């Protein structure tokens, strides 16, 4: 089996992403909501009519696209119009996924701007617009990675119980698939671990600096309300698009 | 006195940067040295003759320049040819620094590529070129911030003991200035704290994931050999360029 479907490897990737996500959220929380950065056109025609947040995200993704970031099966872009890589393509001989076109980043960005930012940041405007949107990119990219890694999780689960999944896929049974991929014990474990880590980082910052206002429970809520559900949506969609039957490589 | 010169505030900024730097270094250490990404021209004419690392850094700095990152008195770019901001300028009414042109990023980048990367990464090539240079940007930016924050440290020290510094500045006494800004007890404290934090993060990762090879002592060495000395160089240069006499705002 592809090493990318090995459950230990998947677990390691997801756990490392937790540190990255928690750390990025704490960084963003230094600044106010700064709602103006999410308003399309608020900074005039130089930005082509988009919001400052979208402009910054698109700029960074343009650079990363040239570095072939989005040719990797575990990365999906937020932007639609990205340039070709300047690097030669990697073969990804190891890619265990079926071809798919699943990208929930539009939903993720909306939830992030409208709900996550107001949850973690103080209301109001501190004029730190550039810093805020640079932090936004640093939050959104690993959150997207975490959510879309559901494709690997789903393929791995499929291969462990192909007959069960084949029946659900053939019937287009979305609710059945959602039940089949759900493991509440694992979800509870993720939430507990994320809470412990966020608590440790917050305490560390509180111990060494004089002004930090970040409640670790907020990270747990972000996982519970958005990251875990969107990851499961990706899993269900992936399985439906995947179709029934043996993995390609094994045929 | 400007809040940016308050020693508690300076301390908070520097301490927060420690987490960012440690975390970024641990991320880079996932990949091999990948020496080819630092070789100018190695990826052909599409990159305009520069290395992949420089190409990526320049691309990200271009986006950040448009977000007015480098108009802030505590940020210096690595790239020379950056566009104007698309945001209106912030007044930085609060900027307590004398005008100066101190930027040691060329030296920092060289030390990072030639010495820091081989210290923290396994030798060899794993083809993860894009990921490596994205991590490099994430390491270099906070390291640069940390080093150039010496300007604020120096201005703060100057204002605490103006007569002593005026004499050294007037005499152009570089060694005397270096001695006057050095506090070995503080330096030892920084190294100890950085070691403790790096140990905590590494242990965390070791406890939850199966394969992490990062020795916390390496972060201590990076602070001891490059970050602290370059920060002190910035302090000395700033004081020499600053000149003697009262701060502008107080005249």
């Amino acid at each position: 089996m592809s090493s990318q479907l090995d459950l230990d490897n998947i677990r390691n990737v997801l756990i490392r992403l937790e540190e990255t996500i928690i750390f990025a959220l704490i960084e963003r929380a230094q600044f106010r909501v700064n709602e103006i950065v999410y308003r399309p056109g608020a900074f005039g025609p130089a930005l082509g009519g988009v919001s400052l947040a979208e402009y910054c995200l698109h700029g960074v993704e343009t650079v990363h696209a040239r570095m072939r970031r989005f040719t990797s099966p575990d990365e999906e872009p937020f932007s639609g119009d990205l340039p070709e890589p300047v690097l030669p393509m990697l073969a990804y001989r190891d890619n265990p996924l079926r071809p798919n076109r699943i990208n929930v980043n539009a939903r993720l960005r909306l939830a992030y701007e409208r709900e996550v930012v107001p949850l973690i940041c103080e209301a109001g405007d501190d004029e730190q617009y550039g810093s805020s949107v640079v932090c936004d990119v640093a939050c959104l990219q690993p959150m997207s990675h975490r959510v879309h890694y559901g494709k690997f999780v789903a393929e791995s689960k499929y291969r462990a119980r192909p007959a069960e999944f084949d029946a659900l896929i053939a019937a287009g049974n979305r609710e059945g698939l959602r039940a089949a991929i759900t493991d509440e014990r694992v979800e509870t474990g993720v939430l507990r671990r994320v809470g412990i880590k966020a608590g440790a980082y917050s305490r560390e910052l509180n111990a060494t600096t004089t002004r930090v206002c970040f409640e670790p429970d907020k990270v747990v809520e972000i996982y519970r309300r958005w990251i875990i559900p969107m990851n499961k949506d990706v899993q269900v969609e992936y399985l439906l698009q995947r179709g029934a039957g043996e993995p390609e490589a094994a045929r």
Side-chain angles (χ1 to χ4, degrees), chain A:
Chain A
M1 191 195 276
S2 159
S3 67
Q4 287 190 78
L5 294 183
D6 180 83
L7 275 179
D8 265 354
N9 288 346
I10 289 177
R11 189 164 160 268
N12 285 352
V13 171
L14 299 184
I15 288 174
R16 272 196 98 114
L17 282 168
E18 287 165 6
E19 337 282 331
T20 310
I21 291 169
I22 293 167
F23 201 74
L25 291 169
I26 292 176
E27 289 292 292
R28 177 62 180 90
Q30 289 177 91
F31 307 107
R32 301 256 179 161
V33 167
N34 292 324
E35 186 273 331
I36 192 174
V37 304
Y38 306 117
R39 214 182 303 147
F43 289 95
L47 277 57
V50 303
S51 70
L52 189 69
E54 184 170 348
Y55 182 83
C56 184
L57 187 57
H58 181 265
V60 172
E61 287 200 321
T62 297
V63 180
H64 289 180
R66 294 204 186 100
M67 309 285 114
R68 75 180 169 204
R69 178 174 188 143
F70 306 109
T71 65
S72 174
D74 60 351
E75 293 278 5
E76 292 292 337
F78 288 84
S79 313
D81 53 336
L82 292 173
E84 292 298 312
V86 295
L87 296 181
M89 295 288 281
L90 275 181
Y92 293 112
R93 288 171 292 269
D94 225 23
N95 180 11
L97 300 185
R98 289 285 182 91
N100 69 84
R101 305 194 56 167
I102 297 159
N103 180 331
V104 298
N105 279 336
R107 259 176 67 208
L108 174 61
R109 185 158 79 84
L110 209 64
Y112 174 82
E113 295 183 357
R114 298 206 181 153
E115 305 189 85
V116 173
V117 171
L119 179 68
I120 61 173
C121 299
E122 268 186 85
D125 188 307
D126 58 17
E127 291 192 308
Q128 301 296 307
Y129 306 141
S131 302
S132 298
V133 297
V134 167
C135 286
D136 288 337
V137 174
C139 289
L140 284 168
Q141 288 190 323
M143 287 173 76
S144 169
H145 197 164
R146 173 65 172 81
V147 163
H148 289 99
Y149 222 78
K151 298 176 189 180
F152 291 89
V153 177
E155 181 69 31
S156 179
K157 288 175 180 167
Y158 176 88
R159 293 195 194 183
R161 295 176 286 166
E164 176 187 348
F165 280 106
D166 276 347
L168 294 163
I169 291 167
N173 184 346
R174 209 174 278 271
E175 282 316 301
L177 283 169
R178 178 170 291 269
I181 56 150
T182 297
D183 183 335
E184 286 190 11
R185 198 181 49 79
V186 169
E187 285 179 26
T188 308
V190 169
L191 294 176
R192 191 174 52 229
R193 192 176 58 228
V194 162
I196 290 170
K197 285 186 193 175
Y201 292 137
S202 307
R203 257 195 315 282
E204 175 96 28
L205 280 169
N206 279 318
T208 46
T209 68
T210 48
R211 201 184 63 90
V212 179
C213 8
F214 193 88
E215 292 161 33
D217 285 353
K218 290 178 178 174
V219 179
V220 178
E221 191 172 347
I222 291 164
Y223 263 78
R224 191 179 53 74
R225 285 177 59 190
W226 296 290
I227 294 178
I228 290 177
M230 290 180 79
N231 176 278
K232 287 164 73 171
D233 291 344
V234 166
Q235 291 188 51
V236 171
E237 282 313 308
Y238 174 81
L239 290 165
L240 287 170
Q241 284 193 25
R242 182 196 185 287
E246 284 300 296
E248 312 239 319
R251 274 180 192 164

